[in-house]
Amino acid sequence: MSGLRWDWNSAALGVVYALPAGVAAHFDVARGAALAVGVVPAAIIGLAPTRRRRLRVIALGFLTGLPLMLGSVVSSIPWLAVTSIFVLAVCAVILARIAPIGSIVLVLSLPMVGVGLSYGDREVGLELSILLVAGSVYAAAVSMLWPAHDVPAAERSNSTPSLDYGVRLGTAAATAAATGFMFDLEHVGWATAAVLLVMRPGAEQTTVRMVGRLASVCVGGASAVVLVASGSNPIVYSAAIVACVAGAAATHASRWYVTSAFTTFLVLLLLVSPSPGDAGFRFNERLVETVLGVGLAWLFGVVLPAVLGSGPESEEHEQQQNRIRP
């Protein structure tokens, strides 16, 4: 598989996913960006071969929406938030060792708890959670319009992440959250989510995702800032949001970690479209907190195992985790 893979069928599906967001953006850019965020998880997970399996996208909405709400709830109590993110990380790894759904919880649900730490306003957290669930229901309905197709059966792997990885992951994410609370960062969840999205059991895969996330955040963030600063008309905003979701869907199978370019674009558009004067500040904020999260992922995911002499996890497990792309 090449580093960057584009699938036109998935791109077309992404366009249909994003149509309500595109229409809403014509009247309210921030609302349109929020609606687009709701369908992004379905876009990046890819189209299941059978219509029956496509209904699982609805479960995906709950597996992302409810954890985000959980993060929002605990964010008002810093010590509870920091403790929770550590405990949940360890528990997610344990679940991944004993049940297939654990891999989904580990790479999708757990990072959404981190994202939720940025939304201390529970009404905002609840609204975003509802959008994720509603977006998944809409995406499941839309996906039924696409014909079923056959795919080669995926090989099942018995490889599992180690408990050592769970402890390091939890410690890195908890450190990111504690740092955010200590310095009173407005979006504590940005660095925390970066840790959880980047750090993988193997050092090589963690390094690849580090580079990919930094580059993607720069590209996605800069694109949002330029768009807002240009004073574009509503049609341009609508087209950009639709193109963003389509791009996320079309590149979901890429080896390179490009997903964060699309999510960063939508998040910054959501934040800065009501106040264009804050665009530069928000971009720097996102970049700095991403660097913090990526740095902690590198420290606990690459440096610490090398210092302690613990061997890397199997490449087989890394490939298994990468089939689910947050």
Side-chain angles (χ1 to χ4, degrees):
M1 180 187 297
S2 61
L4 184 63
R5 183 177 178 182
W6 182 276
D7 180 72
W8 285 108
N9 186 56
S10 297
L13 180 61
V15 168
V16 182
Y17 281 167
L19 284 180
V23 172
H26 186 76
F27 303 98
D28 184 331
V29 176
R31 179 63 60 188
L35 288 173
V37 169
V39 297
V40 163
I44 64 179
I45 205 67
L47 183 67
T50 65
R51 290 185 171 89
R52 183 175 182 179
R53 288 179 60 184
R54 292 170 193 173
L55 293 175
R56 298 179 184 178
V57 170
I58 298 175
L60 176 66
F62 285 96
L63 287 171
T64 53
L66 294 181
L68 188 149
M69 188 62 206
L70 174 61
S72 177
V73 169
V74 301
S75 66
S76 59
I77 308 175
W79 70 264
L80 179 60
V82 172
T83 303
S84 297
I85 205 70
F86 173 81
V87 172
L88 288 172
V90 175
C91 290
V93 169
I94 293 175
L95 183 61
R97 291 172 61 86
I98 61 177
I101 195 175
S103 293
I104 298 176
V105 171
L106 181 59
V107 302
L108 283 178
S109 302
L110 182 61
M112 294 307 294
V113 178
V115 171
L117 298 183
S118 289
Y119 301 102
D121 185 336
R122 295 182 185 179
E123 291 185 2
V124 176
L126 178 60
E127 180 180 358
L128 288 174
S129 298
I130 291 174
L131 284 174
L132 287 168
V133 175
S136 69
V137 173
Y138 168 71
V142 166
S143 69
M144 297 300 172
L145 301 175
W146 261 248
H149 59 278
D150 296 325
V151 294
E155 295 182 4
R156 297 185 61 87
S157 170
N158 295 321
S159 179
T160 56
S162 68
L163 291 178
D164 169 69
Y165 165 68
V167 172
R168 287 186 286 109
L169 179 67
T171 304
T175 302
T179 302
F181 287 119
M182 184 182 303
F183 289 96
D184 197 25
L185 300 180
E186 184 175 352
H187 294 96
V188 175
W190 284 356
T192 308
V195 169
L196 297 171
L197 289 166
V198 166
M199 189 170 159
R200 289 292 183 263
E204 181 181 356
Q205 189 61 27
T206 296
T207 302
V208 170
R209 293 178 70 84
M210 284 169 51
V211 174
R213 185 162 186 90
L214 286 173
S216 295
V217 165
C218 288
V219 172
S223 299
V225 168
V226 169
L227 181 61
V228 171
S230 67
S232 300
N233 61 48
I235 295 178
V236 175
Y237 280 111
S238 296
I241 287 175
V242 171
C244 180
V245 177
T251 59
H252 77 275
S254 299
R255 182 175 180 272
W256 293 348
Y257 182 29
V258 296
T259 301
S260 54
F262 303 107
T263 56
T264 296
F265 176 82
L266 293 174
V267 168
L268 286 190
L269 203 59
L270 174 63
L271 289 175
V272 305
S273 58
S275 52
D278 293 339
F281 167 75
R282 292 300 185 190
F283 173 76
N284 291 331
E285 179 187 29
R286 178 78 169 193
L287 182 59
V288 168
E289 295 187 32
T290 297
V291 170
L292 171 61
V294 165
L296 288 170
W298 176 73
L299 177 62
F300 285 91
V302 179
V303 176
L304 192 59
V307 171
L308 297 179
S310 56
E313 310 247 355
S314 70
E315 182 69 20
E316 181 183 17
H317 175 69
E318 289 186 15
Q319 292 173 354
Q320 181 188 27
Q321 278 201 315
N322 289 333
R323 295 192 187 105
I324 306 170
R325 296 177 180 274

